[in-house]
Amino acid sequence: MTYIGVEIRRQVIERAGNCCEYCLLSQEDSTFSFQVDHVIAEKHEGETVLENLSLSCPNCNSYKGSDIGSIDRETGKLTALYNPRIQSWGDHFRLDGPVIEPLTPEGRVTVRLLRLNRSEQIEERRGLIAFGRYPCTQSK
Ligand SMILES: [Zn+2]
């Protein structure tokens, strides 16, 4: 894995508003440091450039791994994961309280593969919502 320099990491964090770009958790509300994710993994020749990096919480990043797509159950088609660099979160997902609901095939494969609605996460989000801390507000 390519080393991500301090400056590029800072830029990724700033662009994301310190939010996980998949589940919208704030890094401030996480026990663990967020990770710089290659949207298109290096094994698929994704480059270590700002245009291919996103900020991801450890949960989202570990389930995403080096995957770039999955089979959408509704269409049966190979479908790319949501790409926060070229797509807008609100076009592919919406929040129903603490639950992330997919709106598109890309949204569906992303919710399933990254397990965005595990019960622990829903509970955590419910707590954060009560404190006005979820969703994390992205600066874009
Ligand atoms: Zn996340």
Side-chain angles (χ1 to χ4, degrees), residues 23-26 29 95-101 116-136:
C23 74
L24 309 185
L25 179 70
S26 171
D29 295 314
L95 281 171
D96 181 10
V99 177
I100 297 175
E101 289 188 341
L116 296 181
N117 289 317
R118 288 178 306 126
S119 54
E120 310 93 272
Q121 286 168 295
I122 288 177
E123 277 314 301
E124 182 180 26
R125 284 180 210 144
R126 212 186 293 279
L128 290 169
I129 287 168
F131 289 101
R133 297 204 51 87
Y134 186 84
C136 183

Side-chain angles (χ1 to χ4, degrees), residues 11-19 136-140:
Q11 288 177 291
V12 168
I13 290 170
E14 185 178 293
R15 177 177 62 192
N18 212 19
C19 308
C136 183
T137 314
Q138 290 175 285
S139 58
K140 57 183 180 190

Side-chain angles (χ1 to χ4, degrees), residues 20 23 57 60:
C20 173
C23 74
C57 74
C60 290

Side-chain angles (χ1 to χ4, degrees), residues 30-41:
S30 172
T31 315
F32 303 101
S33 288
F34 282 11
Q35 296 156 355
V36 175
D37 159 63
H38 284 80
V39 178
I40 305 298

Side-chain angles (χ1 to χ4, degrees), residues 47-67:
E47 294 182 67
T48 306
V49 293
L50 276 176
E51 297 72 33
N52 187 45
L53 298 173
S54 70
L55 188 64
S56 177
C57 74
N59 276 327
C60 290
N61 203 28
S62 67
Y63 288 119
K64 180 171 176 283
S66 61
D67 290 341

Side-chain angles (χ1 to χ4, degrees), residues 70-75 77 79-82 92 102-111:
S70 186
I71 307 291
D72 175 39
R73 283 181 182 153
E74 267 183 47
T75 62
K77 289 188 175 149
T79 302
L81 292 174
Y82 164 66
H92 293 275
L103 301 173
T104 61
E106 291 89 342
R108 282 194 295 271
V109 294
T110 303
V111 164

